[in-house]
Amino acid sequence: MTYTWTGTADTATDIDDVARLLTARGERIPHPDLDPWVRDVDADMLRMLYRDMTIVRRIDTEGVALQRQGQLGLWAPCQGQEGVQVGTARALRQDDFVFPSYREAGVLYVRGARPGDFTLTWRGEEHSSFDPYELNVATPQIIIGAQTLHAVGYAMGIQRDGDDQVAAAYFGDGATSQGDVNEAMVFASSFQAPVVFVCSNNQWAISEPVTVQGKFPIAGRAPGFGIPSLRIDGNDVLGSLAAMRWALDHARSGKGPAFIEAVTYRMGPHTTSDDPTRYRDKDEVERWRARDPLTRLEAHLRSIDAFDEDFARDVSEAADRFAADMRAACLASPSREPIGVLDHVYAEPHAGLDEQRAQFAAYLDGFGDDQEAKP
Amino acid sequence: MTSMTMAAAIGAGLRRAMKDDPRVLLMGEDIGRLGGVFRVTDGLLDEFGAARVIDTPLAESGIVGTAVGLAYRGFRPVVEIQFDGFVYPAFDQIVCQVAKLHYRTAGRVRMPVTIRIPWAGGVGAAEHHSESPEAYFVHTSGLRVVAVSDPQDAYMMLRQAIASDDPVVFFEPKRLYHRKGDVDLDADLADAAPMGLARVVREGTDVTLLTYGAQVLTAMDVAVAAEDDGVSMEVIDLRSLSPIDYRTIAGSVRKTGRVVVTHEAPREGGLAAEVIAGVTERCFDYLEAAPARVTGHDIPYPPAKLEKHHLPDLDRILDAVDRVLDRPNSLTGVER
Ligand SMILES: Cc1ncc(C[n+]2csc(CCOP(=O)(O)OP(=O)(O)O)c2C)c(N)n1
């Protein structure tokens, strides 16, 4: 039997070939696959999603500001991607385990990260500020796609423990070209591991458009591995919640992995070091601004009389508070002692490093109490 | 004591570790029904089942990367890389993930992953089946690296590697897989020499000969041959390549004043350079001659019929012994 893909070459860029529940104008539309998963979602829940997204956007602006002010070495903005991040993360159970990339501020927020957790790593104070076992979130990954394998391995561990948790891997469209992501799908499929892949297709991998990674929709690849997939509107927080509930239920009930391609857009630069004006035009950004996940939900909330000025003020104040706490944590973070660079390389004593530590300590002691002079 | 091959001893070490700790599991290509291409895991699938002896898809990065996830969850994966030359696709997961996660998470995430690698040449194998990649891993902070050379030691060190909360790259010389030795299967882990120690395999007073892996046997031949020449060689098996046991090495060099290091990996940036630098820093005043190294050539591993010209053999090492003893040798009169 020969299988032939019959897609057309521009389907990768067809951003409307997606499942959604809220249109760009905030209308609630039906979708046979997604509707069953959000029947319980009431106005209060929608308001919570709105609040989450607003705080995440505020975290992002504060991150950019702190970087511009020289307080952070780098920041990877997530503006525009709040819908998929918050929607999918709110579907997770607290004991599920998440393997994120560096851009998932919204996922970290929903998982309960503290204000300082958003800045200390980008400031260069520590590689990862939180305890993965407190948030059930692995330390964010910079090596593109590597975390997808970790998620699958973790899911294989869940199977062996006989638990009903799920591991979730978050990654970008560029990552789908990596061998690791493809190997992760092979392993997940072969072992029917309870893992959910969440690909945030934000159209760009630094300057490379998604079409460089593949001509056809990313969601179309997973079925080739035997993994069911959904292509959703990642700027629709409600649709993202529904899709993730479907995927989690699929994995949790022993049916194996599931894959979500969330079609979204990175409104800002790739990182604060990037200049997107070199590779994309203004019109494109403006087209996406009209699909904003926050204004869309706000419009919907207004249409069901669930958005008033008190609520807006309350949410905005909460976001400002969080940002202020972030700033305070960032500015108050003490740099560690010089000898600290040698900490935690090994779990057990290592003679070579122990000798280097003793030598460096002796060198540092040469400065006596003169803390100022210490390198 | 039971006489067994090194391959069987390593298999016994795996069996013992799996019995001792239910969180230990094995992953690799063909390790299940086939028992591994070297039969090291023979019988373990029947004994422990497919949940703990995992025949994986053919994807080295996938094998190590999923082991990382299992370790996140508190398992102790033992990964088999089928042959040395196939570890390179997993290099990223080993050096960026396995080696660094403990550091990156300030000690909150442990990576007790053991990476077993059938290793090095001398068995007439096809291309990519005789590589000596140890220096890459020694250069990677966060990994421990060991190389075994005898069945009993392999049995104990493997159990130590698996029990260690740090990741260990575990090199098994293919050339020695079928060599037999006595193994005490009931030996207690607590009585074993620590994994990080070097082992003096032969005492001597004139020259310290340092090596590891299958070259230990060649070094012993060198010692016997040198004895006929009136030279007393001390032979040390490094065992641990990271950390290197400089205490034992320096003790020997202070006694002999002369050092030869041999390994079959290429020379440039290799372990011999590291060992000689370490010896020079510690024992400069004791050295009677410049240390010498005898290594593989700086070439891609040659075709099987030529490998005997690449692997440092008895005569090349004896030539270096002559050098450190200031006797006539192949480099006499050669400007360097
Ligand atoms: C293995 C690897 N190669 C290259 C990079 C450099 N790099 C960082 S982010 C990035 C683009 C990633 O794009 P995508 O996967 O779409 O995620 P996004 O940043 O858009 O969220 C690149 C090339 C890296 N971090 N890791």
Side-chain angles (χ1 to χ4, degrees):
Chain A
M1 173 80 107
T2 312
Y3 292 92
T4 311
W5 175 259
T6 52
T8 53
D10 61 354
T11 50
T13 48
D14 184 350
I15 54 174
D16 282 317
D17 183 19
V18 290
R20 62 166 69 97
L21 293 175
L22 287 181
T23 67
R25 297 215 310 276
E27 291 156 322
R28 173 72 167 84
I29 53 169
H31 192 284
D33 294 332
L34 298 182
D35 280 333
W37 299 100
V38 287
R39 290 225 172 86
D40 62 312
V41 174
D42 56 13
D44 279 347
M45 175 79 177
L46 290 173
R47 281 152 63 104
M48 181 178 86
L49 295 173
Y50 183 82
R51 184 188 167 93
D52 287 344
M53 290 198 295
T54 307
I55 292 175
V56 172
R57 180 155 297 180
R58 189 68 186 84
I59 288 171
D60 194 62
T61 26
E62 194 65 18
V64 173
L66 283 165
Q67 196 282 332
R68 296 299 185 224
Q69 291 157 8
Q71 296 298 335
L72 303 180
L74 192 73
W75 181 261
C78 67
Q79 191 198 337
Q81 300 184 214
E82 298 89 347
V84 51
Q85 294 189 3
V86 167
T88 55
R90 276 290 168 214
L92 288 158
R93 236 168 48 187
Q94 194 54 42
D95 64 340
D96 292 332
F97 207 98
V98 176
F99 291 82
S101 87
Y102 48 81
R103 201 185 297 286
E104 262 76 51
V107 178
L108 290 190
Y109 171 75
V110 170
R111 298 299 282 174
R114 295 156 305 170
D117 294 337
F118 295 89
T119 56
L120 296 185
T121 299
W122 294 120
R123 189 174 167 85
E125 296 291 0
E126 37 202 344
H127 282 323
S128 100
S129 56
F130 57 86
D131 182 340
Y133 298 114
E134 258 172 38
L135 300 185
N136 282 339
V137 177
T139 182
Q141 183 63 247
I142 288 185
I143 301 290
I144 299 300
Q147 74 278 19
T148 57
L149 282 168
H150 307 167
V152 175
Y154 192 95
M156 289 165 67
I158 294 172
Q159 284 177 313
R160 277 154 185 77
D161 289 336
D163 284 339
D164 73 343
Q165 292 145 271
V166 175
Y170 284 81
F171 51 100
D173 44 295
T176 61
S177 295
Q178 287 281 349
D180 276 1
V181 175
N182 290 275
E183 292 185 24
M185 287 200 272
V186 173
F187 273 70
S189 167
S190 298
F191 297 121
Q192 287 294 287
V195 61
V196 173
F197 298 102
V198 182
C199 174
S200 294
N201 172 3
N202 66 9
Q203 311 303 317
W204 294 94
I206 310 188
S207 70
E208 299 192 357
V210 60
T211 45
V212 173
Q213 321 299 333
K215 291 292 177 211
F216 302 110
I218 291 164
R221 298 188 205 175
F225 294 94
I227 301 173
S229 68
L230 270 179
R231 190 167 199 258
I232 61 160
D233 184 336
N235 287 12
D236 167 13
V237 67
L238 185 61
S240 298
L241 175 79
M244 191 66 173
R245 283 179 169 182
W246 158 78
L248 288 167
D249 180 77
H250 180 89
R252 212 183 296 291
S253 58
K255 297 193 201 106
F259 189 105
I260 294 171
E261 177 194 357
V263 177
T264 181
Y265 196 74
R266 153 178 52 88
M267 296 300 291
H270 168 72
T271 66
T272 43
S273 306
D274 174 42
D275 175 10
T277 62
R278 294 177 74 110
Y279 54 84
R280 68 183 189 191
D281 58 44
K282 264 212 171 80
D283 296 353
E284 179 183 289
V285 182
E286 289 316 312
R287 276 201 304 282
W288 279 93
R289 207 177 294 288
R291 311 166 78 93
D292 189 296
L294 272 80
T295 48
R296 160 181 330 202
L297 183 55
E298 180 184 331
H300 177 65
L301 285 171
R302 285 188 191 281
S303 76
I304 59 170
D305 259 348
F307 194 99
D308 57 32
E309 298 324 308
D310 281 351
F311 172 66
R313 192 174 337 104
D314 173 50
V315 165
S316 153
E317 280 170 10
D320 284 344
R321 261 197 313 278
F322 199 95
D325 290 348
M326 237 175 103
R327 174 170 290 266
C330 176
L331 300 184
S333 60
S335 281
R336 282 184 288 169
E337 287 291 305
I339 197 81
V341 296
L342 292 161
D343 285 349
H344 303 303
V345 180
Y346 294 92
E348 297 168 8
H350 180 282
L353 197 62
D354 293 347
E355 184 187 88
Q356 283 186 29
R357 168 184 285 276
Q359 288 171 353
F360 191 44
Y363 165 76
L364 293 171
D365 280 350
F367 293 93
D369 291 333
D370 190 359
Q371 290 297 330
E372 289 292 304
K374 269 188 192 178
Chain B
M1 287 285 179
T2 318
S3 173
M4 59 173 73
T5 64
M6 189 151 86
I10 293 169
L14 290 172
R15 173 178 289 108
R16 180 66 189 267
M18 294 181 82
K19 272 196 177 143
D20 287 351
D21 183 350
R23 303 302 278 180
V24 174
L25 47 78
L26 313 186
M27 311 173 68
E29 298 166 7
D30 304 298
I31 67 167
R33 287 178 66 175
L34 184 66
V37 291
F38 295 101
R39 309 293 182 267
V40 168
T41 54
D42 194 22
L44 298 180
L45 174 65
D46 285 343
E47 199 171 333
F48 297 101
R52 293 184 69 194
V53 180
I54 307 173
D55 264 328
T56 63
L58 301 196
E60 283 71 17
S61 190
I63 295 169
V64 177
T66 48
V68 168
L70 282 154
Y72 247 110
R73 178 119 186 140
F75 287 86
R76 307 184 88 85
V78 185
V79 159
E80 177 175 299
I81 301 293
Q82 198 159 62
F83 280 91
D84 37 48
F86 310 139
V87 74
Y88 303 119
F91 196 65
D92 164 57
Q93 286 287 348
I94 297 173
V95 304
C96 295
Q97 310 295 335
V98 174
K100 289 185 180 152
L101 269 162
H102 191 264
Y103 189 71
R104 280 165 64 199
T105 60
R108 287 143 172 160
V109 176
R110 303 230 151 157
M111 280 292 124
V113 180
T114 303
I115 301 169
R116 295 180 39 239
I117 307 182
W119 159 70
V123 295
E127 211 184 349
H128 310 298
H129 289 67
S130 303
E131 306 272 305
S132 293
E134 59 268 26
Y136 299 121
F137 301 111
V138 170
H139 200 62
T140 301
S141 308
L143 299 176
R144 290 170 191 279
V145 183
V146 301
V148 296
S149 69
D150 129 298
Q152 171 72 31
D153 206 27
Y155 175 67
M156 298 307 281
M157 256 216 277
L158 180 63
R159 291 168 56 200
Q160 290 168 318
I162 296 170
S164 169
D165 271 344
D166 285 315
V168 181
V169 179
F170 192 89
F171 283 111
E172 303 169 3
K174 293 187 284 281
R175 220 192 310 171
L176 304 185
Y177 265 146
H178 299 300
R179 278 189 70 95
K180 285 195 166 175
D182 282 337
V183 178
D184 177 6
L185 291 174
D186 299 321
D188 207 328
L189 216 46
D191 301 333
M195 199 165 50
L197 289 192
R199 180 170 60 125
V200 179
V201 282
R202 182 189 162 111
E203 295 198 19
T205 52
D206 298 335
V207 177
T208 300
L209 179 54
L210 299 164
T211 191
Y212 53 91
Q215 282 294 99
V216 172
L217 296 197
T218 313
M220 292 300 281
D221 292 344
V222 169
V224 171
E227 196 165 34
D228 292 343
D229 253 355
V231 179
S232 165
M233 307 274 308
E234 180 140 304
V235 178
I236 295 181
D237 175 2
L238 295 182
R239 297 173 78 244
S240 174
L241 311 184
S242 176
I244 290 172
D245 175 13
Y246 281 113
R247 194 173 293 251
T248 299
I249 296 171
S252 174
V253 175
R254 290 193 183 116
K255 180 172 65 172
T256 63
R258 294 184 161 83
V259 187
V260 176
V261 188
T262 180
H263 56 61
E264 60 177 90
R267 177 181 308 183
E268 194 168 279
L271 262 282
E274 168 59 38
V275 170
I276 288 172
V279 164
T280 309
E281 282 172 346
R282 289 169 178 81
C283 316
F284 186 72
D285 291 340
Y286 294 83
L287 290 174
E288 308 274 353
R293 51 186 167 162
V294 193
T295 68
H297 305 296
D298 286 343
I299 56 171
Y301 201 82
K305 291 290 186 212
L306 296 175
E307 70 178 340
K308 60 178 177 293
H309 305 300
H310 174 68
L311 301 174
D313 62 3
L314 181 83
D315 290 328
R316 270 173 69 199
I317 300 170
L318 283 171
D319 187 58
V321 172
D322 286 340
R323 234 185 294 158
V324 298
L325 287 166
D326 209 16
R327 293 172 169 185
N329 65 81
S330 65
L331 293 180
T332 305
V334 176
E335 196 163 325
R336 287 193 290 150

